[in-house]
Amino acid sequence: MKNWKLAPIALGLAAFVGTSGYALGDDDATKMTDEELQDQIAQSRAAIEQFASTLQSELMAAMEEGGPIQAIEVCNERAPEIEQRISAEFGRDIGRTSLKIRNPENSPDEWERIQLEHFESLRADGTPADQLDPRHEVVEDEDGARFRFMAAIPTGGACLACHGTDISSDVKHALERLYPDDEATGFSEGDVRGAFTITHEM
Ligand code: HEC
């Protein structure tokens, strides 16, 4: 009961430590110098760390104050606001996505879906969700060149009150009211819940 109070919320920041990320495409093809590439990676990580820690502290404060029902309201209203503020601050688009989404606004595009599927397959082969290297690629299409970066978000024990398999009926009702097409339940601790995703126009 109320195990969300006991477990610290881990948003997978360990995944960013000590790894430069996995380059997918041939970054040389875009004439980006190594220094520019490292700068893109550093900026992406900084934006994600700030986004993750802000979400985490607001979520925990709401949980402490009013339990999961109040925290759902906070996620619903505050998550998009925090997302916008940090995107503006870092001059790049930041968000969260998943193969099983709660808010349809967070649906993955094709590039994001491929990375999420890759995280899932590494996870299935035994890499723990909090040790998946972030992935990045310079994507060029008719809209120009963009630097894209994604980092997996592991499911911690504290997430299960709202994303697990055994969700209380009042939480279930609150979620159904706000998210009639919610797909983001049925997760277990250690699953990949989704990913932070960054796009930077170049
Ligand atoms: C109090 C309930 C609650 C808890 C606890 C909770 N979430 Fe969520 N989560 C939500 C809600 C509500 C949304 C939809 C937010 C929105 O509308 O943008 C959401 C959305 C997300 C998304 C965005 C993708 C999507 O499905 O729309 C991710 C990723 C996510 N949560 C991960 C986590 C992780 C990881 C944890 C544990 C550290 C966690 N959540 C804990 C309620 C919760």
mmCIF file of all heavy atoms in Angstrom, residues 96-140:
data_model
loop_
_atom_site.group_PDB
_atom_site.id
_atom_site.type_symbol
_atom_site.label_atom_id
_atom_site.label_comp_id
_atom_site.label_asym_id
_atom_site.label_seq_id
_atom_site.Cartn_x
_atom_site.Cartn_y
_atom_site.Cartn_z
ATOM 1 N N ARG A 96 8.079 13.639 -24.372
ATOM 2 C CA ARG A 96 8.151 12.237 -23.971
ATOM 3 C C ARG A 96 7.274 11.439 -24.919
ATOM 4 O O ARG A 96 6.238 11.923 -25.379
ATOM 5 C CB ARG A 96 7.633 12.047 -22.541
ATOM 6 C CG ARG A 96 8.521 12.693 -21.498
ATOM 7 C CD ARG A 96 7.994 12.450 -20.087
ATOM 8 N NE ARG A 96 6.639 12.966 -19.917
ATOM 9 C CZ ARG A 96 5.885 12.694 -18.865
ATOM 10 N NH1 ARG A 96 6.315 11.907 -17.908
ATOM 11 N NH2 ARG A 96 4.668 13.203 -18.772
ATOM 12 N N THR A 97 7.686 10.228 -25.197
ATOM 13 C CA THR A 97 6.890 9.389 -26.068
ATOM 14 C C THR A 97 7.006 7.945 -25.609
ATOM 15 O O THR A 97 7.737 7.637 -24.663
ATOM 16 C CB THR A 97 7.322 9.581 -27.542
ATOM 17 O OG1 THR A 97 6.402 8.885 -28.382
ATOM 18 C CG2 THR A 97 8.734 9.085 -27.802
ATOM 19 N N SER A 98 6.251 7.060 -26.260
ATOM 20 C CA SER A 98 6.210 5.662 -25.824
ATOM 21 C C SER A 98 5.532 4.825 -26.897
ATOM 22 O O SER A 98 4.810 5.364 -27.745
ATOM 23 C CB SER A 98 5.393 5.593 -24.523
ATOM 24 O OG SER A 98 5.229 4.257 -24.093
ATOM 25 N N LEU A 99 5.763 3.516 -26.840
ATOM 26 C CA LEU A 99 4.996 2.629 -27.727
ATOM 27 C C LEU A 99 3.577 2.449 -27.190
ATOM 28 O O LEU A 99 2.684 2.036 -27.920
ATOM 29 C CB LEU A 99 5.703 1.268 -27.861
ATOM 30 C CG LEU A 99 7.042 1.304 -28.613
ATOM 31 C CD1 LEU A 99 7.741 -0.055 -28.529
ATOM 32 C CD2 LEU A 99 6.854 1.710 -30.071
ATOM 33 N N LYS A 100 3.385 2.710 -25.891
ATOM 34 C CA LYS A 100 2.038 2.627 -25.288
ATOM 35 C C LYS A 100 1.776 3.965 -24.616
ATOM 36 O O LYS A 100 2.271 4.223 -23.520
ATOM 37 C CB LYS A 100 2.003 1.495 -24.257
ATOM 38 C CG LYS A 100 1.907 0.111 -24.894
ATOM 39 C CD LYS A 100 2.188 -0.990 -23.881
ATOM 40 C CE LYS A 100 1.082 -1.124 -22.843
ATOM 41 N NZ LYS A 100 1.425 -2.136 -21.802
ATOM 42 N N ILE A 101 1.025 4.809 -25.269
ATOM 43 C CA ILE A 101 0.892 6.177 -24.774
ATOM 44 C C ILE A 101 -0.392 6.397 -23.962
ATOM 45 O O ILE A 101 -1.399 5.727 -24.160
ATOM 46 C CB ILE A 101 0.920 7.210 -25.917
ATOM 47 C CG1 ILE A 101 -0.007 6.772 -27.036
ATOM 48 C CG2 ILE A 101 2.307 7.479 -26.411
ATOM 49 C CD1 ILE A 101 -0.464 7.878 -27.888
ATOM 50 N N ARG A 102 -0.303 7.373 -23.119
ATOM 51 C CA ARG A 102 -1.459 7.827 -22.347
ATOM 52 C C ARG A 102 -2.057 9.043 -23.054
ATOM 53 O O ARG A 102 -3.216 9.039 -23.416
ATOM 54 C CB ARG A 102 -1.004 8.179 -20.920
ATOM 55 C CG ARG A 102 -2.047 8.858 -20.079
ATOM 56 C CD ARG A 102 -1.829 8.593 -18.608
ATOM 57 N NE ARG A 102 -2.074 7.184 -18.314
ATOM 58 C CZ ARG A 102 -1.636 6.544 -17.220
ATOM 59 N NH1 ARG A 102 -0.936 7.200 -16.306
ATOM 60 N NH2 ARG A 102 -1.914 5.269 -17.021
ATOM 61 N N ASN A 103 -1.257 10.071 -23.249
ATOM 62 C CA ASN A 103 -1.732 11.278 -23.932
ATOM 63 C C ASN A 103 -1.409 11.155 -25.429
ATOM 64 O O ASN A 103 -0.233 11.083 -25.794
ATOM 65 C CB ASN A 103 -1.033 12.505 -23.332
ATOM 66 C CG ASN A 103 -1.540 13.791 -23.940
ATOM 67 O OD1 ASN A 103 -2.109 13.792 -25.020
ATOM 68 N ND2 ASN A 103 -1.326 14.889 -23.238
ATOM 69 N N PRO A 104 -2.433 11.157 -26.285
ATOM 70 C CA PRO A 104 -2.199 10.977 -27.726
ATOM 71 C C PRO A 104 -1.243 12.023 -28.317
ATOM 72 O O PRO A 104 -0.622 11.778 -29.349
ATOM 73 C CB PRO A 104 -3.588 11.118 -28.357
ATOM 74 C CG PRO A 104 -4.560 11.016 -27.239
ATOM 75 C CD PRO A 104 -3.851 11.322 -25.956
ATOM 76 N N GLU A 105 -1.104 13.180 -27.632
ATOM 77 C CA GLU A 105 -0.144 14.196 -28.101
ATOM 78 C C GLU A 105 1.292 13.676 -28.069
ATOM 79 O O GLU A 105 2.174 14.245 -28.692
ATOM 80 C CB GLU A 105 -0.196 15.429 -27.188
ATOM 81 C CG GLU A 105 -1.575 16.015 -27.031
ATOM 82 C CD GLU A 105 -1.670 17.397 -27.629
ATOM 83 O OE1 GLU A 105 -0.710 18.158 -27.486
ATOM 84 O OE2 GLU A 105 -2.713 17.688 -28.240
ATOM 85 N N ASN A 106 1.510 12.634 -27.288
ATOM 86 C CA ASN A 106 2.863 12.088 -27.135
ATOM 87 C C ASN A 106 3.155 10.937 -28.106
ATOM 88 O O ASN A 106 4.164 10.255 -27.952
ATOM 89 C CB ASN A 106 3.073 11.594 -25.694
ATOM 90 C CG ASN A 106 2.981 12.711 -24.673
ATOM 91 O OD1 ASN A 106 3.320 13.848 -24.966
ATOM 92 N ND2 ASN A 106 2.507 12.411 -23.481
ATOM 93 N N SER A 107 2.300 10.736 -29.085
ATOM 94 C CA SER A 107 2.500 9.626 -30.040
ATOM 95 C C SER A 107 3.854 9.735 -30.728
ATOM 96 O O SER A 107 4.261 10.823 -31.130
ATOM 97 C CB SER A 107 1.423 9.652 -31.121
ATOM 98 O OG SER A 107 0.175 9.502 -30.543
ATOM 99 N N PRO A 108 4.542 8.607 -30.915
ATOM 100 C CA PRO A 108 5.848 8.650 -31.589
ATOM 101 C C PRO A 108 5.683 8.846 -33.095
ATOM 102 O O PRO A 108 4.710 8.376 -33.678
ATOM 103 C CB PRO A 108 6.436 7.259 -31.308
ATOM 104 C CG PRO A 108 5.263 6.374 -31.052
ATOM 105 C CD PRO A 108 4.182 7.243 -30.469
ATOM 106 N N ASP A 109 6.622 9.555 -33.706
ATOM 107 C CA ASP A 109 6.659 9.564 -35.170
ATOM 108 C C ASP A 109 7.494 8.350 -35.602
ATOM 109 O O ASP A 109 7.905 7.543 -34.769
ATOM 110 C CB ASP A 109 7.179 10.905 -35.715
ATOM 111 C CG ASP A 109 8.632 11.184 -35.357
ATOM 112 O OD1 ASP A 109 9.363 10.242 -34.981
ATOM 113 O OD2 ASP A 109 9.047 12.359 -35.445
ATOM 114 N N GLU A 110 7.733 8.244 -36.910
ATOM 115 C CA GLU A 110 8.354 7.027 -37.401
ATOM 116 C C GLU A 110 9.762 6.821 -36.829
ATOM 117 O O GLU A 110 10.115 5.724 -36.401
ATOM 118 C CB GLU A 110 8.417 7.092 -38.933
ATOM 119 C CG GLU A 110 8.593 5.735 -39.560
ATOM 120 C CD GLU A 110 8.883 5.878 -41.055
ATOM 121 O OE1 GLU A 110 8.367 6.828 -41.665
ATOM 122 O OE2 GLU A 110 9.649 5.039 -41.569
ATOM 123 N N TRP A 111 10.554 7.907 -36.814
ATOM 124 C CA TRP A 111 11.921 7.796 -36.289
ATOM 125 C C TRP A 111 11.895 7.373 -34.816
ATOM 126 O O TRP A 111 12.642 6.503 -34.377
ATOM 127 C CB TRP A 111 12.662 9.132 -36.457
ATOM 128 C CG TRP A 111 14.116 9.052 -36.087
ATOM 129 C CD1 TRP A 111 15.145 8.669 -36.897
ATOM 130 C CD2 TRP A 111 14.699 9.327 -34.804
ATOM 131 N NE1 TRP A 111 16.328 8.695 -36.192
ATOM 132 C CE2 TRP A 111 16.085 9.098 -34.915
ATOM 133 C CE3 TRP A 111 14.182 9.752 -33.570
ATOM 134 C CZ2 TRP A 111 16.971 9.274 -33.848
ATOM 135 C CZ3 TRP A 111 15.062 9.928 -32.501
ATOM 136 C CH2 TRP A 111 16.439 9.692 -32.651
ATOM 137 N N GLU A 112 10.978 7.991 -34.061
ATOM 138 C CA GLU A 112 10.889 7.690 -32.631
ATOM 139 C C GLU A 112 10.446 6.246 -32.400
ATOM 140 O O GLU A 112 10.953 5.564 -31.496
ATOM 141 C CB GLU A 112 9.916 8.659 -31.955
ATOM 142 C CG GLU A 112 10.484 10.067 -31.869
ATOM 143 C CD GLU A 112 9.452 11.122 -31.495
ATOM 144 O OE1 GLU A 112 8.245 10.955 -31.811
ATOM 145 O OE2 GLU A 112 9.842 12.141 -30.910
ATOM 146 N N ARG A 113 9.510 5.787 -33.231
ATOM 147 C CA ARG A 113 9.028 4.415 -33.088
ATOM 148 C C ARG A 113 10.174 3.411 -33.280
ATOM 149 O O ARG A 113 10.316 2.450 -32.537
ATOM 150 C CB ARG A 113 7.895 4.146 -34.091
ATOM 151 C CG ARG A 113 7.331 2.740 -34.025
ATOM 152 C CD ARG A 113 6.093 2.606 -34.900
ATOM 153 N NE ARG A 113 5.012 3.448 -34.400
ATOM 154 C CZ ARG A 113 4.207 3.109 -33.394
ATOM 155 N NH1 ARG A 113 4.340 1.930 -32.815
ATOM 156 N NH2 ARG A 113 3.273 3.922 -32.982
ATOM 157 N N ILE A 114 11.023 3.688 -34.278
ATOM 158 C CA ILE A 114 12.155 2.784 -34.540
ATOM 159 C C ILE A 114 13.087 2.728 -33.322
ATOM 160 O O ILE A 114 13.531 1.659 -32.908
ATOM 161 C CB ILE A 114 12.917 3.223 -35.820
ATOM 162 C CG1 ILE A 114 12.024 3.010 -37.037
ATOM 163 C CG2 ILE A 114 14.235 2.465 -35.971
ATOM 164 C CD1 ILE A 114 12.535 3.692 -38.309
ATOM 165 N N GLN A 115 13.362 3.899 -32.726
ATOM 166 C CA GLN A 115 14.264 3.910 -31.557
ATOM 167 C C GLN A 115 13.623 3.177 -30.374
ATOM 168 O O GLN A 115 14.293 2.446 -29.652
ATOM 169 C CB GLN A 115 14.633 5.346 -31.127
ATOM 170 C CG GLN A 115 15.062 6.291 -32.235
ATOM 171 C CD GLN A 115 15.966 5.657 -33.257
ATOM 172 O OE1 GLN A 115 16.882 4.905 -32.932
ATOM 173 N NE2 GLN A 115 15.695 5.913 -34.533
ATOM 174 N N LEU A 116 12.306 3.391 -30.184
ATOM 175 C CA LEU A 116 11.615 2.725 -29.072
ATOM 176 C C LEU A 116 11.646 1.210 -29.260
ATOM 177 O O LEU A 116 11.858 0.457 -28.306
ATOM 178 C CB LEU A 116 10.158 3.213 -28.986
ATOM 179 C CG LEU A 116 9.990 4.642 -28.455
ATOM 180 C CD1 LEU A 116 8.586 5.165 -28.770
ATOM 181 C CD2 LEU A 116 10.235 4.702 -26.941
ATOM 182 N N GLU A 117 11.451 0.777 -30.505
ATOM 183 C CA GLU A 117 11.486 -0.664 -30.775
ATOM 184 C C GLU A 117 12.895 -1.208 -30.538
ATOM 185 O O GLU A 117 13.053 -2.315 -30.042
ATOM 186 C CB GLU A 117 10.988 -0.956 -32.195
ATOM 187 C CG GLU A 117 9.468 -0.884 -32.234
ATOM 188 C CD GLU A 117 8.871 -0.841 -33.630
ATOM 189 O OE1 GLU A 117 9.643 -0.798 -34.615
ATOM 190 O OE2 GLU A 117 7.618 -0.847 -33.721
ATOM 191 N N HIS A 118 13.889 -0.377 -30.864
ATOM 192 C CA HIS A 118 15.260 -0.814 -30.615
ATOM 193 C C HIS A 118 15.527 -0.956 -29.110
ATOM 194 O O HIS A 118 16.136 -1.928 -28.669
ATOM 195 C CB HIS A 118 16.244 0.166 -31.250
ATOM 196 C CG HIS A 118 17.646 -0.320 -31.187
ATOM 197 N ND1 HIS A 118 18.155 -1.211 -32.097
ATOM 198 C CD2 HIS A 118 18.621 -0.084 -30.285
ATOM 199 C CE1 HIS A 118 19.410 -1.496 -31.755
ATOM 200 N NE2 HIS A 118 19.716 -0.819 -30.670
ATOM 201 N N PHE A 119 15.058 0.025 -28.318
ATOM 202 C CA PHE A 119 15.210 -0.084 -26.856
ATOM 203 C C PHE A 119 14.553 -1.380 -26.362
ATOM 204 O O PHE A 119 15.113 -2.095 -25.528
ATOM 205 C CB PHE A 119 14.563 1.121 -26.145
ATOM 206 C CG PHE A 119 15.305 2.432 -26.301
ATOM 207 C CD1 PHE A 119 14.611 3.631 -26.493
ATOM 208 C CD2 PHE A 119 16.696 2.492 -26.222
ATOM 209 C CE1 PHE A 119 15.277 4.845 -26.617
ATOM 210 C CE2 PHE A 119 17.375 3.708 -26.342
ATOM 211 C CZ PHE A 119 16.657 4.883 -26.544
ATOM 212 N N GLU A 120 13.349 -1.652 -26.878
ATOM 213 C CA GLU A 120 12.634 -2.867 -26.449
ATOM 214 C C GLU A 120 13.419 -4.124 -26.791
ATOM 215 O O GLU A 120 13.457 -5.073 -26.012
ATOM 216 C CB GLU A 120 11.243 -2.960 -27.111
ATOM 217 C CG GLU A 120 10.207 -1.988 -26.568
ATOM 218 C CD GLU A 120 9.872 -2.200 -25.090
ATOM 219 O OE1 GLU A 120 10.179 -3.283 -24.533
ATOM 220 O OE2 GLU A 120 9.337 -1.263 -24.486
ATOM 221 N N SER A 121 14.058 -4.131 -27.965
ATOM 222 C CA SER A 121 14.740 -5.364 -28.343
ATOM 223 C C SER A 121 16.021 -5.550 -27.524
ATOM 224 O O SER A 121 16.339 -6.667 -27.131
ATOM 225 C CB SER A 121 14.975 -5.446 -29.857
ATOM 226 O OG SER A 121 16.020 -4.594 -30.216
ATOM 227 N N LEU A 122 16.719 -4.447 -27.203
ATOM 228 C CA LEU A 122 17.891 -4.565 -26.321
ATOM 229 C C LEU A 122 17.470 -5.045 -24.939
ATOM 230 O O LEU A 122 18.130 -5.879 -24.312
ATOM 231 C CB LEU A 122 18.599 -3.211 -26.185
ATOM 232 C CG LEU A 122 19.356 -2.708 -27.412
ATOM 233 C CD1 LEU A 122 19.856 -1.286 -27.159
ATOM 234 C CD2 LEU A 122 20.543 -3.615 -27.730
ATOM 235 N N ARG A 123 16.363 -4.518 -24.498
ATOM 236 C CA ARG A 123 15.811 -4.894 -23.187
ATOM 237 C C ARG A 123 15.451 -6.390 -23.189
ATOM 238 O O ARG A 123 15.769 -7.109 -22.253
ATOM 239 C CB ARG A 123 14.592 -4.006 -22.935
ATOM 240 C CG ARG A 123 13.709 -4.332 -21.796
ATOM 241 C CD ARG A 123 14.165 -3.715 -20.501
ATOM 242 N NE ARG A 123 13.385 -4.291 -19.412
ATOM 243 C CZ ARG A 123 13.700 -5.415 -18.794
ATOM 244 N NH1 ARG A 123 14.782 -6.070 -19.111
ATOM 245 N NH2 ARG A 123 12.920 -5.877 -17.844
ATOM 246 N N ALA A 124 14.821 -6.839 -24.255
ATOM 247 C CA ALA A 124 14.448 -8.261 -24.362
ATOM 248 C C ALA A 124 15.691 -9.146 -24.370
ATOM 249 O O ALA A 124 15.662 -10.282 -23.894
ATOM 250 C CB ALA A 124 13.609 -8.489 -25.620
ATOM 251 N N ASP A 125 16.806 -8.602 -24.903
ATOM 252 C CA ASP A 125 18.056 -9.373 -24.923
ATOM 253 C C ASP A 125 18.823 -9.269 -23.609
ATOM 254 O O ASP A 125 19.942 -9.761 -23.509
ATOM 255 C CB ASP A 125 18.978 -8.865 -26.056
ATOM 256 C CG ASP A 125 18.454 -9.295 -27.419
ATOM 257 O OD1 ASP A 125 17.584 -10.196 -27.456
ATOM 258 O OD2 ASP A 125 18.904 -8.729 -28.431
ATOM 259 N N GLY A 126 18.271 -8.546 -22.637
ATOM 260 C CA GLY A 126 18.871 -8.559 -21.302
ATOM 261 C C GLY A 126 19.502 -7.270 -20.817
ATOM 262 O O GLY A 126 19.998 -7.228 -19.694
ATOM 263 N N THR A 127 19.516 -6.193 -21.615
ATOM 264 C CA THR A 127 20.057 -4.925 -21.104
ATOM 265 C C THR A 127 19.023 -4.297 -20.162
ATOM 266 O O THR A 127 17.878 -4.101 -20.564
ATOM 267 C CB THR A 127 20.329 -3.924 -22.250
ATOM 268 O OG1 THR A 127 21.132 -4.571 -23.226
ATOM 269 C CG2 THR A 127 21.031 -2.680 -21.749
ATOM 270 N N PRO A 128 19.411 -4.003 -18.917
ATOM 271 C CA PRO A 128 18.436 -3.368 -18.020
ATOM 272 C C PRO A 128 17.976 -2.008 -18.579
ATOM 273 O O PRO A 128 18.771 -1.299 -19.213
ATOM 274 C CB PRO A 128 19.216 -3.184 -16.713
ATOM 275 C CG PRO A 128 20.363 -4.130 -16.801
ATOM 276 C CD PRO A 128 20.705 -4.249 -18.258
ATOM 277 N N ALA A 129 16.717 -1.669 -18.322
ATOM 278 C CA ALA A 129 16.141 -0.452 -18.905
ATOM 279 C C ALA A 129 16.895 0.810 -18.497
ATOM 280 O O ALA A 129 16.916 1.797 -19.232
ATOM 281 C CB ALA A 129 14.668 -0.345 -18.523
ATOM 282 N N ASP A 130 17.535 0.789 -17.323
ATOM 283 C CA ASP A 130 18.245 2.001 -16.895
ATOM 284 C C ASP A 130 19.687 2.026 -17.405
ATOM 285 O O ASP A 130 20.454 2.897 -17.041
ATOM 286 C CB ASP A 130 18.196 2.154 -15.368
ATOM 287 C CG ASP A 130 18.869 0.998 -14.639
ATOM 288 O OD1 ASP A 130 19.332 0.041 -15.301
ATOM 289 O OD2 ASP A 130 18.924 1.047 -13.393
ATOM 290 N N GLN A 131 20.033 1.074 -18.261
ATOM 291 C CA GLN A 131 21.386 1.088 -18.839
ATOM 292 C C GLN A 131 21.367 1.134 -20.353
ATOM 293 O O GLN A 131 22.358 0.806 -21.012
ATOM 294 C CB GLN A 131 22.158 -0.149 -18.362
ATOM 295 C CG GLN A 131 22.592 0.012 -16.911
ATOM 296 C CD GLN A 131 23.180 -1.259 -16.340
ATOM 297 O OE1 GLN A 131 23.847 -2.012 -17.034
ATOM 298 N NE2 GLN A 131 22.913 -1.496 -15.074
ATOM 299 N N LEU A 132 20.248 1.535 -20.907
ATOM 300 C CA LEU A 132 20.158 1.649 -22.367
ATOM 301 C C LEU A 132 20.810 2.962 -22.791
ATOM 302 O O LEU A 132 20.461 4.024 -22.274
ATOM 303 C CB LEU A 132 18.689 1.627 -22.806
ATOM 304 C CG LEU A 132 17.970 0.293 -22.568
ATOM 305 C CD1 LEU A 132 16.463 0.467 -22.685
ATOM 306 C CD2 LEU A 132 18.460 -0.749 -23.577
ATOM 307 N N ASP A 133 21.756 2.895 -23.713
ATOM 308 C CA ASP A 133 22.409 4.122 -24.175
ATOM 309 C C ASP A 133 21.416 4.976 -24.965
ATOM 310 O O ASP A 133 20.657 4.442 -25.769
ATOM 311 C CB ASP A 133 23.572 3.779 -25.117
ATOM 312 C CG ASP A 133 24.814 3.358 -24.338
ATOM 313 O OD1 ASP A 133 24.873 3.617 -23.119
ATOM 314 O OD2 ASP A 133 25.709 2.774 -24.963
ATOM 315 N N PRO A 134 21.477 6.296 -24.766
ATOM 316 C CA PRO A 134 20.662 7.177 -25.611
ATOM 317 C C PRO A 134 21.080 7.020 -27.075
ATOM 318 O O PRO A 134 22.207 6.612 -27.360
ATOM 319 C CB PRO A 134 21.000 8.573 -25.107
ATOM 320 C CG PRO A 134 21.640 8.400 -23.783
ATOM 321 C CD PRO A 134 22.274 7.043 -23.793
ATOM 322 N N ARG A 135 20.196 7.352 -27.980
ATOM 323 C CA ARG A 135 20.491 7.221 -29.406
ATOM 324 C C ARG A 135 20.320 8.579 -30.082
ATOM 325 O O ARG A 135 19.451 9.358 -29.717
ATOM 326 C CB ARG A 135 19.538 6.198 -30.029
ATOM 327 C CG ARG A 135 19.818 4.800 -29.484
ATOM 328 C CD ARG A 135 18.692 3.844 -29.771
ATOM 329 N NE ARG A 135 18.563 3.484 -31.184
ATOM 330 C CZ ARG A 135 19.344 2.610 -31.824
ATOM 331 N NH1 ARG A 135 20.323 2.013 -31.181
ATOM 332 N NH2 ARG A 135 19.156 2.330 -33.095
ATOM 333 N N HIS A 136 21.192 8.850 -31.040
ATOM 334 C CA HIS A 136 21.053 10.132 -31.739
ATOM 335 C C HIS A 136 21.344 9.965 -33.220
ATOM 336 O O HIS A 136 22.026 9.025 -33.629
ATOM 337 C CB HIS A 136 21.974 11.191 -31.124
ATOM 338 C CG HIS A 136 23.427 10.864 -31.196
ATOM 339 N ND1 HIS A 136 24.178 11.073 -32.335
ATOM 340 C CD2 HIS A 136 24.264 10.336 -30.292
ATOM 341 C CE1 HIS A 136 25.417 10.686 -32.096
ATOM 342 N NE2 HIS A 136 25.499 10.227 -30.875
ATOM 343 N N GLU A 137 20.801 10.897 -34.001
ATOM 344 C CA GLU A 137 21.009 10.831 -35.447
ATOM 345 C C GLU A 137 20.710 12.210 -36.034
ATOM 346 O O GLU A 137 19.832 12.926 -35.545
ATOM 347 C CB GLU A 137 20.062 9.792 -36.069
ATOM 348 C CG GLU A 137 20.322 9.572 -37.545
ATOM 349 C CD GLU A 137 19.484 8.427 -38.124
ATOM 350 O OE1 GLU A 137 18.488 8.029 -37.515
ATOM 351 O OE2 GLU A 137 19.840 7.960 -39.217
ATOM 352 N N VAL A 138 21.454 12.564 -37.075
ATOM 353 C CA VAL A 138 21.085 13.752 -37.835
ATOM 354 C C VAL A 138 20.178 13.273 -38.970
ATOM 355 O O VAL A 138 20.573 12.435 -39.774
ATOM 356 C CB VAL A 138 22.321 14.473 -38.398
ATOM 357 C CG1 VAL A 138 21.892 15.652 -39.269
ATOM 358 C CG2 VAL A 138 23.205 14.953 -37.261
ATOM 359 N N VAL A 139 18.949 13.771 -38.975
ATOM 360 C CA VAL A 139 17.959 13.316 -39.953
ATOM 361 C C VAL A 139 17.761 14.436 -40.960
ATOM 362 O O VAL A 139 17.554 15.586 -40.582
ATOM 363 C CB VAL A 139 16.624 12.995 -39.235
ATOM 364 C CG1 VAL A 139 15.555 12.610 -40.232
ATOM 365 C CG2 VAL A 139 16.829 11.888 -38.204
ATOM 366 N N GLU A 140 17.860 14.095 -42.227
ATOM 367 C CA GLU A 140 17.660 15.115 -43.265
ATOM 368 C C GLU A 140 16.525 14.703 -44.177
ATOM 369 O O GLU A 140 16.511 13.587 -44.688
ATOM 370 C CB GLU A 140 18.941 15.275 -44.091
ATOM 371 C CG GLU A 140 19.838 16.346 -43.519
ATOM 372 C CD GLU A 140 21.030 16.653 -44.422
ATOM 373 O OE1 GLU A 140 21.897 15.769 -44.529
ATOM 374 O OE2 GLU A 140 21.075 17.748 -44.999
#
